[in-house]
């Protein structure tokens, strides 16, 4: 099996910064895309940012210029540096990975979720 374990997050004032981390472990052969999604109360889960194994990144318009996604392919980790946080960034953030296991099975895995709260 594959597990994604998240860390980071918490409470911060508007304008502040937080960093989220996610580590994938298990019977991993390779990871294509790793990313971060978020879900605010009463809203659908949305993509925040993702990064493919070659390093190409994609960001939601709402976070461009404020958030930075990075990954370490050797360690199977992905991080999200969040700067200039706004109250509307408040949500539960989920790590996601597109994994091919050593058994040759490819599927998406999710982390446990981390609360990020930005106070005004």
């Amino acid at each position: 099996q594959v597990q994604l374990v998240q860390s980071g997050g918490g409470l911060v004032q508007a304008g502040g910064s937080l960093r989220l981390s996610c580590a994938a472990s298990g019977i991993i052969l390779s990871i294509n895309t790793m990313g971060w999604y978020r879900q605010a109360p009463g809203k659908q889960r949305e993509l925040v940012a993702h990064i493919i194994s070659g390093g190409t990144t994609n960001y939601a318009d709402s976070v461009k210029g404020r958030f930075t996604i990075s990954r370490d392919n050797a360690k199977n980790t992905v991080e999200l540096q969040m700067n200039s946080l706004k109250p509307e960034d408040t949500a539960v953030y989920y790590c996601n990975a597109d994994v091919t296991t050593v058994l040759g099975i490819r599927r998406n895995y999710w982390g446990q979720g981390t609360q990020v709260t930005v106070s005004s």
Side-chain angles (χ1 to χ4, degrees):
Q1 280 292 348
V2 175
Q3 300 83 33
L4 300 185
V5 177
Q6 300 178 213
S7 60
L11 173 65
V12 67
Q13 288 188 331
S17 298
L18 286 173
R19 190 174 187 87
L20 303 180
S21 298
C22 174
S25 63
I27 52 171
I28 298 170
L29 177 64
S30 63
I31 302 178
N32 183 17
T33 303
M34 301 188 81
W36 292 93
Y37 289 72
R38 67 186 181 188
Q39 187 166 18
K43 295 187 177 182
Q44 290 188 330
R45 190 173 297 189
E46 63 175 2
L47 174 69
V48 176
H50 70 238
I51 181 169
I52 64 173
S53 58
T56 301
T57 58
N58 181 54
Y59 294 92
D61 288 342
S62 59
V63 307
K64 283 181 180 177
R66 301 187 297 121
F67 291 11
T68 302
I69 189 170
S70 60
R71 67 185 282 178
D72 185 327
N73 292 330
K75 296 180 179 179
N76 290 331
T77 58
V78 62
E79 296 189 331
L80 185 69
Q81 177 65 41
M82 305 182 290
N83 298 328
S84 302
L85 282 160
K86 304 175 181 180
E88 50 263 46
D89 294 318
T90 296
V92 177
Y93 284 69
Y94 296 91
C95 174
N96 176 272
D98 176 10
V99 177
T100 298
T101 71
V102 296
L103 301 178
I105 299 171
R106 181 176 179 177
R107 56 159 286 190
N108 267 285
Y109 291 87
W110 293 91
Q112 78 274 22
T114 300
Q115 178 68 46
V116 170
T117 303
V118 184
S119 63
S120 57

